[in-house]
Amino acid sequence: MSSLSGKTAIVTGGTSGMGEGVALKFAEEGANVLISGRYEERGESVVQKILKKGGSAFFNPGDISTSKANKKLVESAVSHFGQLDILVLSAGRLGLGKITELPEEEWLRTIDVNLNSAFYIMRYAIPEMLVNGGGNIVIIGSVAAFHAFPSHAAYCASKGALISLVRQVAADYGPEIRINLLCPAQVDTPLLRSSVKAFDNPETIIRQTEAKLPMKRLGTTNDIADAVHFLASDSSSWITGSCLTIDGGFLCT
Ligand SMILES: NC(=O)c1ccc[n+]([C@@H]2O[C@H](COP(=O)([O-])OP(=O)(O)OC[C@H]3O[C@@H](n4cnc5c(N)ncnc54)[C@H](OP(=O)(O)O)[C@@H]3O)[C@@H](O)[C@H]2O)c1
């Protein structure tokens, strides 16, 4: 039997990058997957990839920065698949700018998407998980929680706050709910590519980034999907409230 057979998972940010990788992996492992993102075309394309391989998935469109949208996501998973077991929060944005230059709206929007959405969705998801005896939550943080990157004030603050939130939820809801934070460094996704687009020589920036990493390559969405699967499965049954860095050695440099 596959490791996630009979489980239902919500994957926010499932329309692209790491979230897409996680959605594909979870479906391969037998889970029913609800994919969340704003763009219908991208969401449906991931759903089709899963259905073609005999998996089970559907797309629920919406901007996850409001409480209402997160409530709808959870209700939608339960009405479609009858239960909720796993939550993976991969949706995120960069919101670049130094404190003195960043428009207030940009700060607030980044905190809404990267941090407040986790608060909103867990308020609705945890009670549904408890109905079936418990559940598992994996949030995608970032090494930006530990390391300053120029002009990433809102991003670093939002990712840093997730460390405390994850510990707190683990303490409040264990043993029924396990929750962990996965903190990647540079992973080859559309978000990373868009962050270097502004440079004259984006490919050189990527090559320089790779050269600085002890593992000499960017992370892949498969690297992330495997780690999320580990945290979401029984293989990690005594791990909760922790922060796992997955960074090719970035924090050693
Ligand atoms: N790539 C990296 O190097 C890196 C490193 C460390 C941490 N991270 C973190 O990893 C996570 C995934 O990033 P990624 O690199 O995979 O980026 P990505 O390919 O750009 O994917 C981001 C996802 O977030 C969704 N999203 C963004 N804003 C949203 C909103 N307001 N409402 C609903 N969905 C929204 C997007 O969906 P739609 O476009 O369909 O709305 C998309 O599916 C993020 O939390 C990011 O901070 C990335």
Side-chain angles (χ1 to χ4, degrees):
M1 200 164 79
S2 305
S3 62
L4 301 180
S5 260
K7 305 273 189 195
T8 289
I10 292 176
V11 181
T12 75
T15 57
S16 174
M18 300 186 204
E20 175 175 356
V22 170
L24 297 176
K25 172 85 180 171
F26 276 21
E28 258 174 45
E29 291 293 332
N32 302 309
V33 187
L34 184 153
I35 290 157
S36 150
R38 289 164 299 177
Y39 300 108
E40 191 96 31
E41 205 176 306
R42 291 190 207 163
E44 287 305 336
S45 142
V46 181
V47 168
Q48 285 312 316
K49 285 183 198 170
I50 290 174
L51 298 184
K52 266 189 203 148
K53 289 188 165 180
S56 161
F58 82 100
F59 174 59
N60 189 101
D63 183 325
I64 49 121
S65 57
T66 65
S67 179
K68 197 171 154 198
N70 283 283
K71 182 169 188 275
K72 183 175 151 249
L73 251 185
V74 172
E75 287 172 351
S76 181
V78 174
S79 71
H80 218 85
F81 295 125
Q83 65 193 66
L84 179 60
D85 307 289
I86 302 171
L87 190 57
V88 178
L89 306 185
S90 185
R93 74 193 302 275
L94 285 171
L96 295 182
K98 293 180 188 179
I99 288 283
T100 48
E101 294 160 5
L102 189 67
E104 283 184 17
E105 307 73 52
E106 194 61 11
W107 169 274
L108 294 173
R109 178 112 186 100
T110 304
I111 300 294
D112 274 341
V113 174
N114 296 0
L115 176 63
N116 291 342
S117 65
F119 163 66
Y120 294 140
I121 198 162
M122 287 194 288
R123 277 160 70 83
Y124 302 113
I126 288 173
E128 288 299 341
M129 290 172 161
L130 292 175
V131 169
N132 294 320
N136 194 307
I137 302 170
V138 182
I139 303 183
I140 308 292
S142 169
V143 290
F146 310 103
H147 181 92
F149 291 89
S151 299
H152 281 61
Y155 188 75
C156 290
S158 64
K159 296 294 184 179
L162 288 170
I163 297 175
S164 313
L165 181 63
V166 160
R167 282 195 194 124
Q168 189 59 48
V169 174
D172 282 343
Y173 293 98
E176 288 83 6
I177 304 287
R178 278 202 304 122
I179 175 168
N180 290 290
L181 187 68
L182 188 69
C183 292
Q186 298 87 351
V187 178
D188 199 357
T189 67
L191 182 128
L192 181 80
R193 295 277 162 183
S194 74
S195 74
V196 293
K197 228 169 31 194
F199 294 94
D200 292 339
N201 45 0
E203 274 309 313
T204 309
I205 303 287
I206 298 274
R207 300 287 86 85
Q208 288 169 345
T209 304
E210 289 182 315
K212 280 186 201 153
L213 291 171
M215 295 308 291
K216 303 297 175 205
R217 66 170 177 86
L218 297 181
T220 66
T221 57
N222 285 340
D223 293 325
I224 302 301
D226 286 344
V228 172
H229 175 246
F230 166 69
L231 290 174
S233 72
D234 290 344
S235 306
S236 61
S237 62
W238 207 51
I239 303 181
T240 195
S242 78
C243 171
L244 175 64
T245 51
I246 174 164
D247 66 353
F250 174 82
L251 288 178
C252 313
T253 60

